[in-house]
Amino acid sequence: MALVAIVGRPNVGKSTLFNRLTKTRRAIVSDEAGTTRDRQYGKCDWNGKEFSVVDTGGWVVNSDDIFEDAIRKQVIVATEEADLVLFLVDVTSGLTDWDEDVAAILRRSKLPVILVANKVDNNDQYYDSYEFYKLGLGEPQPISSATGSGTGDLLDLLMEKLQGVKDEQDIEEGIPRFAVVGRPNAGKSSLINAFIGEERHIVTDIAGTTRDSIYTRYDKFGFDFYLVDTAGIRRKNKVTEDLEFYSVMRSIRSIESSDVCILMIDATRGIEAQDMNIFQLIQKNQKSLVVVVNKWDLVEDKSQKAIKFFEDAIRNRMAPFTDFPIIFASALTKQRIFKVLETAKEVYLNRKVKIGTTKLNEVMLPLIEATPPPSIKGKYIKIKYCSQLPNTQIPSFVFYANLPQYVKEPYKRFLENKIRENWQLTGSPINIFIRQK
């Protein structure tokens, strides 16, 4: 799937354009500091074609002394990782030195760039947009992200420029795709090197996009799967690795291209905000999850009590999704590396589980009868029948009720937990739908 980055100086309307493209209206903010807000990453669908959008403004540090430097780094990362850049400028404030600075970076990159003149709300401002021809990035596309004026033409042009980006279809179907993801320095490269080792049995490197080869076939020790490159394993990064934006941008493509994500957490640092950012990307894309606590060899207290404390801390942060395996390993000493592969394979198979309708009803209906959905406004909700939907990416279940609109999220979680208690679905996300019977 193509990745489009929106760049531009503060207050030019990046988030407003992002919200319009992704059809979202508000950022969902967690209590946890630094967790991913929805305005930073989303999907856009135009004329039946889907692509991912990243709003670089979500990572801006609100401090004047490092402000411009942080944004400049984000522009560089965007040009390295995205397939196309939307460069937003503001007709109401005109051309600035900062716009020229960013334009210079974008001209040097070989990436398709669309120059977008935002806040064009009347005919006079339409002519004001011609000033941005000076940036040397072609014709400015006049739009108003607040009203939506001109965004249709912008999307048509965007789809035209994305035609050169291939979807990753030329890989063998039915073979699991594993991505190793995590914050910088958590040990991703070490784990992948431990996997492939010196006696490589790599069959092919398959280009997933025109810019990058993302699939490596791993075929040894009885395993056969594609390792999804987390980009940056092969090439030296040009920006400092302490930038949170960098690790998230690098993770998006590999998460989208995988079936199972192996999330690396540094045992010496514990679970951090960046780990939560990446976890939420995995959830948003409905990918299966294996958590690997790496560098376990460096931890002094390896008692069962310490392991239990660590596990509880991880599951508490990632709640309500807590049904996933956690492995304590060391990529450097290769401790439990084989266990990581075995578990990832099991989690992939859990993703494919099919439950017969008769068996599902036999187990679930008595549980529902014992704990029915709470009545709302004096109306009693009755669930009479359930089944698993066929041909879905992840296990998806539909429950037929007389008043589906009154079944709220906590009860859906109750149904999910009961399914997990009775069938082996560890690591796999589940969809629960309530429909009119």
Side-chain angles (χ1 to χ4, degrees), residues 341-395:
L341 289 183
E342 281 183 329
T343 307
K345 188 177 176 182
E346 283 168 19
V347 163
Y348 173 76
L349 294 174
N350 291 346
R351 192 179 175 84
K352 303 290 177 189
V353 160
K354 296 283 179 278
I355 302 167
T357 303
T358 308
K359 186 66 181 167
L360 187 66
N361 280 274
E362 274 177 14
V363 172
M364 292 305 292
L365 291 185
L367 293 170
I368 292 165
E369 202 173 323
T371 313
S375 61
I376 294 180
K377 299 174 186 172
K379 297 183 188 299
Y380 291 94
I381 303 151
K382 290 175 184 170
I383 296 173
K384 292 288 185 186
Y385 177 73
C386 56
S387 66
Q388 183 175 357
L389 293 171
N391 307 320
T392 53
Q393 287 288 325
I394 61 170

Side-chain angles (χ1 to χ4, degrees), residues 231-427:
I233 293 158
R234 285 192 309 280
R235 65 173 184 266
K236 191 83 175 158
N237 46 298
K238 295 173 190 167
V239 292
T240 51
E241 282 206 327
D242 60 356
L243 199 60
E244 176 189 347
F245 174 67
Y246 172 84
S247 63
V248 177
M249 277 288 283
R250 290 246 147 149
S251 301
I252 288 170
R253 196 190 302 278
S254 49
I255 289 170
E256 286 181 344
S257 306
S258 68
D259 296 308
V260 178
C261 293
I262 298 167
L263 173 59
M264 305 283 288
I265 291 175
D266 187 335
T268 62
R269 301 184 65 153
I271 187 161
E272 300 184 315
Q274 273 175 282
D275 300 318
M276 291 304 298
N277 279 329
I278 294 165
F279 168 71
Q280 291 185 14
L281 284 174
I282 294 166
Q283 274 210 309
K284 193 183 284 266
N285 282 282
Q286 297 197 316
K287 303 301 180 183
S288 298
L289 174 68
V290 175
V291 172
V292 176
V293 180
N294 190 33
K295 306 184 186 178
W296 193 240
D297 54 315
L298 302 179
V299 176
E300 286 181 22
D301 183 5
K302 297 184 177 69
S303 65
Q304 282 302 313
K305 191 176 176 184
I307 290 171
K308 178 81 167 61
F309 178 81
F310 219 118
E311 282 187 351
D312 289 347
I314 292 169
R315 293 193 202 282
N316 288 339
R317 286 291 296 273
M318 296 183 179
F321 180 48
T322 57
D323 187 20
F324 53 83
I326 300 174
I327 299 165
F328 294 83
S330 167
L332 203 61
T333 65
K334 301 193 177 179
Q335 179 189 15
R336 298 195 189 92
I337 292 303
F338 199 71
K339 176 80 172 164
V340 173
L341 289 183
E342 281 183 329
T343 307
K345 188 177 176 182
E346 283 168 19
V347 163
Y348 173 76
L349 294 174
N350 291 346
R351 192 179 175 84
K352 303 290 177 189
V353 160
K354 296 283 179 278
I355 302 167
T357 303
T358 308
K359 186 66 181 167
L360 187 66
N361 280 274
E362 274 177 14
V363 172
M364 292 305 292
L365 291 185
L367 293 170
I368 292 165
E369 202 173 323
T371 313
S375 61
I376 294 180
K377 299 174 186 172
K379 297 183 188 299
Y380 291 94
I381 303 151
K382 290 175 184 170
I383 296 173
K384 292 288 185 186
Y385 177 73
C386 56
S387 66
Q388 183 175 357
L389 293 171
N391 307 320
T392 53
Q393 287 288 325
I394 61 170
S396 301
F397 302 90
V398 59
F399 292 80
Y400 293 94
N402 58 339
L403 298 163
Q405 68 274 25
Y406 290 135
V407 180
K408 303 299 180 192
E409 207 56 44
Y411 196 77
K412 287 184 185 176
R413 277 207 294 275
F414 164 77
L415 294 173
E416 178 181 334
N417 291 338
K418 291 302 173 190
I419 291 171
R420 289 186 185 280
E421 282 173 23
N422 287 279
W423 288 278
Q424 183 60 31
L425 292 163
T426 299

Side-chain angles (χ1 to χ4, degrees), residues 21 28 108:
L21 294 180
I28 298 170
R108 283 196 296 272

